[in-house]
Amino acid sequence: MSWETVIGLEVHVQLATASKLFSASSTRTGDEPNSNASLIDLAMPGTLPVVNREAIRHAIRFGLAIDAEIGRRSVFERKNYFYPDLPKGYQTTQLAEPIVGAGVVELQLEDGTRKSVRIHHAHLEEDAGKSLHEAFSDETGRAMTGIDLNRAGTPLIEIVSEPDMSNAEEAVAFARKLHAIVTSLGISDGDMSQGNMRFDVNISVRRPGEPLGTRTETKNLNSFRFMEKAIKLEVERQIDVLEDGGEVVQETRLYNGETNTARAMRSKEDANDYRYFPCPDLLPVLVSEEEINELRDALPELPDARKARFVETYALSEYDADLLSADLATAAYFEAAAKQGGDAKLAANWVMGELTARLNTDDIGIAQSPVSAGHLGELILRIKDGTISSKIAKQVFDACWAGEGSPDQIIESKGLKQMSDTGELEKIVDDIIANHPAQVEDYRGSDEAKRKKKIGFFVGQAMKATQGKANPQQLNQLLQQKLNG
């Protein structure tokens, strides 16, 4: 019998606020360790937290974007547990009355099918600090752990899905859609390399028709690729355990992306193990209908609306529009290149093809691309006006990527302009025909279908003679005239 996989996600998104959730400390990254941790962040006696209003508004924006219920009244609670990087001994979070209630996220999968993933709720909470296990030792050389509390108190929303996903591909599509939503809203930069978006994946397997199986939670995945690998690894592990007659243990697990291995971290706690109770230092948060309507009216263009606009405005296929509209930075890059180059389809092909391949190879984001949107637009213009061929364009792109200048500068300095002089091309074609009488005779003795294939020999010879600079359209016309004449 086959197995069914059941997946739910808990997604932690760091909110783009200048200060922390309950203090005026900065949320900047890269500062000296422990330089952005105030007495309030450490819950020192006599200090009182004050809720960051913009964090509340960011959470509401997310709720509105997924058409969720907005908590007109939400309450902060204390979740009690010990970690070395949690100096309070508790985390201020929400449980019984979160700021965002039930909602839904619509997905379009790679095969074109659509799927709805329900959101159970999204709540506000503060982040913990960070334990650093490398580069610390005492005078005897014994390894030690450093604690950086700059992150302590940073505002997060935790987005909790229902267990509506059935494979790694669906989970990744859901995670990508959430990333697209929060970055489009501007409530987070979604930078996973800095831990600003992290995924906890709950996974169980069962036989079709049976109740849900025992779940495990793989914590703190910070890339789509690692998430996909971790899910597949855990599903395989659980099936192996059950088919060998064992039982899956409810536990929290950690995944190592470098080795593609996972290990158990601790047995999984239930909510009552944390001794939640309402935070005595914080009043309930009350949100008015007026403020909700104001935030709703000011929402920016969201991924689904942007996709629809790309289809209508640029005549892109739904598939191309989906790929280009999901990420805000990619969408902005594409639009800038398309407008400058004057050809949306060509811009889409270059962004999804050559550019994406290079970004993946160099493992960088589009914001770090050495080829700017303006330069890609300039390259597209030169293809369209016949200055260079598509083949030469790839050479120009390579040089531009290497920092050798703009496309126009590279074309000029390397002498890459397409040969479009009819007289010069005609002389080259005449020489090729004169020097290859056997191939000419073979071509002329063939039927029309075979001629289409055999003309490739002469095209290749001409491209070789012109170092790939011949205008392909003019070249084909000349060859057909000469060979068929």
Side-chain angles (χ1 to χ4, degrees):
M1 291 177 63
S2 61
W3 292 93
E4 289 182 346
T5 303
V6 181
I7 300 170
L9 262 64
E10 298 169 18
V11 183
H12 294 83
V13 178
Q14 179 172 325
L15 298 175
T17 58
S19 57
K20 295 185 179 179
L21 187 53
F22 302 115
S23 80
S25 299
S26 173
T27 56
R28 280 192 310 269
T29 57
D31 287 357
E32 284 294 314
N34 300 307
S35 61
N36 294 330
S38 71
L39 297 179
I40 293 175
D41 302 324
L42 307 183
M44 296 299 287
T47 62
L48 286 173
V50 177
V51 178
N52 185 326
R53 183 170 183 264
E54 192 59 19
I56 297 288
R57 290 167 66 87
H58 279 346
I60 295 171
R61 289 182 178 103
F62 173 75
L64 293 171
I66 62 167
D67 198 25
E69 301 169 7
I70 305 300
R72 271 59 173 178
R73 179 183 190 272
S74 60
V75 175
F76 283 100
E77 303 188 55
R78 289 184 179 180
K79 178 182 180 181
N80 295 271
Y81 62 98
F82 171 79
Y83 273 164
D85 51 19
L86 187 70
K88 294 180 177 182
Y90 62 85
Q91 179 188 32
T92 306
T93 183
Q94 295 181 325
L95 179 66
E97 297 180 74
I99 186 70
V100 176
V104 67
V105 172
E106 301 291 344
L107 309 179
Q108 180 166 332
L109 305 176
E110 284 190 18
D111 62 3
T113 59
R114 297 181 181 276
K115 184 180 182 70
S116 297
V117 176
R118 294 168 297 156
I119 300 297
H120 182 275
H121 75 274
H123 62 265
L124 278 162
E125 65 183 20
E126 60 181 344
D127 206 351
K130 188 175 182 181
S131 297
L132 306 170
H133 306 292
E134 298 83 19
F136 290 96
S137 60
D138 62 14
E139 60 276 3
T140 67
R142 182 176 57 185
M144 301 178 70
T145 295
I147 304 294
D148 182 5
L149 298 175
N150 279 351
R151 240 186 140 83
T154 296
L156 308 173
I157 51 168
E158 182 177 342
I159 304 162
V160 182
S161 84
E162 298 285 5
D164 288 346
M165 291 152 280
S166 57
N167 55 53
E169 290 73 23
E170 290 180 2
V172 170
F174 173 69
R176 287 186 182 277
K177 187 62 174 286
L178 286 184
H179 187 273
I181 290 170
V182 300
T183 53
S184 294
L185 289 168
I187 66 172
S188 175
D189 63 11
D191 187 347
M192 288 177 278
S193 68
Q194 295 298 318
N196 296 351
M197 192 168 188
R198 313 188 295 271
F199 310 100
D200 299 342
V201 185
N202 293 284
I203 303 168
S204 65
V205 298
R206 65 178 176 184
R207 296 292 190 185
E210 290 186 353
L212 290 174
T214 301
R215 66 184 172 90
T216 64
E217 181 182 29
T218 302
K219 299 279 287 184
N220 290 330
L221 298 165
N222 66 347
S223 83
F224 301 129
R225 183 165 55 91
F226 286 169
M227 183 199 300
E228 183 173 10
K229 288 185 175 183
I231 290 172
K232 290 179 177 178
L233 189 69
E234 177 59 12
V235 169
E236 185 179 340
R237 185 192 72 85
Q238 289 191 21
I239 291 173
D240 287 345
V241 168
L242 294 171
E243 290 188 341
D244 288 343
E247 292 184 357
V248 175
V249 177
Q250 184 171 323
E251 63 187 6
T252 299
R253 299 179 63 81
L254 291 178
Y255 173 78
N256 186 325
E258 294 182 2
T259 59
N260 193 33
T261 57
R263 63 177 177 85
M265 184 168 69
R266 61 175 182 269
S267 61
K268 176 66 179 171
E269 302 91 341
D270 291 318
N272 56 3
D273 294 327
Y274 291 111
R275 294 184 296 114
Y276 281 93
F277 62 86
C279 179
D281 292 336
L282 290 164
L283 291 170
V285 175
L286 304 178
V287 182
S288 68
E289 292 295 331
E290 183 182 9
E291 185 163 20
I292 291 172
N293 290 333
E294 173 201 326
L295 292 171
R296 181 184 285 111
D297 292 343
L299 287 178
E301 184 180 51
L302 294 170
D304 287 346
R306 188 160 56 240
K307 174 186 172 181
R309 180 170 62 82
F310 280 13
V311 170
E312 182 177 351
T313 304
Y314 300 112
L316 299 179
S317 68
E318 285 220 358
Y319 178 79
D320 287 355
D322 194 50
L323 290 177
L324 292 166
S325 65
D327 176 70
L328 183 60
T330 301
Y333 186 106
F334 157 72
E335 287 208 87
K339 286 174 181 175
Q340 179 162 348
D343 190 318
K345 183 58 180 174
L346 200 52
N349 290 341
W350 274 88
V351 172
M352 293 186 298
E354 196 73 23
L355 179 71
T356 298
R358 288 303 191 88
L359 294 174
N360 290 339
T361 299
D362 289 7
D363 195 24
I364 57 175
I366 200 164
Q368 289 78 47
S369 170
V371 177
S372 68
H375 282 168
L376 183 59
E378 188 176 290
L379 183 65
I380 290 167
L381 276 175
R382 297 301 160 253
I383 298 171
K384 283 177 62 65
D385 66 16
T387 300
I388 55 174
S389 65
S390 295
K391 183 178 180 180
I392 295 294
K394 292 188 178 181
Q395 294 181 37
V396 177
F397 184 89
D398 289 344
C400 195
W401 189 273
E404 296 179 25
S406 71
D408 281 349
Q409 291 170 337
I410 292 164
I411 292 166
E412 188 64 35
S413 65
K414 293 181 178 290
L416 297 176
K417 284 185 179 178
Q418 192 165 242
M419 186 182 293
S420 299
D421 185 295
T422 304
E424 193 174 355
L425 278 177
E426 190 169 4
K427 182 179 182 304
I428 292 169
V429 167
D430 287 342
D431 288 345
I432 291 169
I433 290 173
N435 293 331
H436 298 89
Q439 285 84 355
V440 172
E441 185 178 351
D442 183 38
Y443 173 88
R444 288 174 173 166
S446 302
D447 59 33
E448 187 175 348
K450 289 182 179 178
R451 284 185 175 189
K452 288 182 179 179
K453 294 181 181 179
K454 293 181 182 293
I455 200 170
F457 168 79
F458 300 99
V459 171
Q461 292 298 312
M463 284 297 183
K464 184 178 178 181
T466 62
Q467 297 180 317
K469 297 177 188 177
N471 183 308
Q473 189 175 358
Q474 284 183 299
L475 178 61
N476 270 283
Q477 288 175 348
L478 274 172
L479 282 167
Q480 288 182 33
Q481 288 172 9
K482 300 282 185 178
L483 290 168
N484 296 335

